[in-house]
Amino acid sequence: MSAFPTVEAGALPWLTVEQMVEADRLAVEEFGIELLQMMEHAGSSLAELTHTLAAPGPVTVLAGGGNNGGGGLAAARHLVDRGRAVSVVLATDTPGSAPRHHLRTLAAMGIEPRREPPDDRVVVDALVGYGLEGPLRGRAAELARWTAGRFVVSLDFPSGRRHPGGVDAAATLTLALPKEGLRGLDPLYLATLGLPPALWARMGIDLPARFGDGRILRIVD
């Protein structure tokens, strides 16, 4: 039995990368939903999923320099609040503004990024998002290879999926609506970003309420 309510895959629209980019744009520019608000939803749900599915013990968060990494860093804070010891490893020395926001908060909590990951068995993969094309490179590729044999929860898309050296996720949490590139992935979970039905209607998507039974759902065939 799933620890979370389920939703049939066929009952959901599956978005292209272009559609999700447009949804993000509408959220910020037309509905006044700030990026950090959406990131907070993502991080809180990612922490809940990881804490529920993974064995007890410390967690290493692998974070890239973009919005996906910011969601992972938000999750780090929520995991600490759930009693987990958390280490953070960055895939870049030049993170964007949103990850820097969360890094400042973590620093105030006494958590500074470390260069090399510890030997933790539970890993949050927030290296890259759904928009990446092609295999991982550089530091992100190194960190993805390090995850082999560990219990990995990926945010929105397993980093490097379908490419050699990509992350083999034990679970994936996608956001708002599932992405086309995730079809066939199991287990796949869906979390709310708090985007209103009116936003989807602007995109021509007729979307019934999905989260009446909880903010995280498991997508099943």
Side-chain angles (χ1 to χ4, degrees):
M1 179 181 294
S2 172
F4 297 94
T6 59
V7 60
E8 295 284 340
L12 296 168
W14 290 66
L15 301 183
T16 64
V17 171
E18 292 77 15
Q19 285 175 309
M20 194 61 224
V21 169
E22 176 63 5
D24 287 342
R25 186 194 70 79
L26 286 172
V28 174
E29 296 181 8
E30 302 295 333
F31 289 85
I33 303 171
E34 297 296 333
L35 176 63
L36 288 175
Q37 290 176 264
M38 292 187 280
M39 208 169 281
E40 188 66 17
H41 279 295
S44 176
S45 293
L46 180 60
E48 180 177 346
L49 184 68
T50 303
H51 186 68
T52 301
L53 298 183
V59 181
T60 292
V61 175
L62 306 179
N67 295 342
N68 192 265
L73 294 171
R77 186 181 85 251
H78 286 281
L79 283 165
V80 170
D81 196 40
R82 290 174 175 269
R84 298 272 187 159
V86 175
S87 298
V88 169
V89 180
L90 300 180
T92 177
D93 295 328
T94 56
S97 60
R100 290 199 305 271
H101 171 90
H102 293 290
L103 286 169
R104 288 192 293 271
T105 301
L106 290 170
M109 296 166 55
I111 299 175
E112 297 285 351
R114 48 189 297 165
R115 177 63 186 171
E116 297 300 330
D119 191 24
D120 292 343
R121 304 309 301 169
V122 180
V123 180
V124 168
D125 160 34
L127 290 170
V128 298
Y130 56 82
L132 177 76
E133 295 289 342
L136 298 174
R137 296 179 176 82
R139 182 62 171 157
E142 293 174 7
L143 292 172
R145 288 193 294 270
W146 171 82
T147 68
R150 304 176 194 274
F151 188 95
V152 183
V153 180
S154 289
L155 177 58
D156 217 31
F157 206 87
S159 298
R161 173 167 158 77
R162 293 181 177 155
H163 293 281
V167 170
D168 182 15
T172 300
L173 181 70
T174 194
L175 305 169
L177 281 171
K179 317 306 183 292
E180 284 288 355
L182 295 172
R183 284 191 185 272
L185 192 64
D186 183 59
L188 178 62
Y189 296 85
L190 177 69
T192 180
L193 279 182
L195 304 183
L199 183 151
W200 302 111
R202 287 278 293 274
M203 296 176 60
I205 298 173
D206 182 15
L207 191 62
R210 313 177 294 299
F211 298 105
D213 294 326
R215 64 177 182 170
I216 302 175
L217 308 174
R218 182 172 178 177
I219 300 174
V220 297
D221 291 327

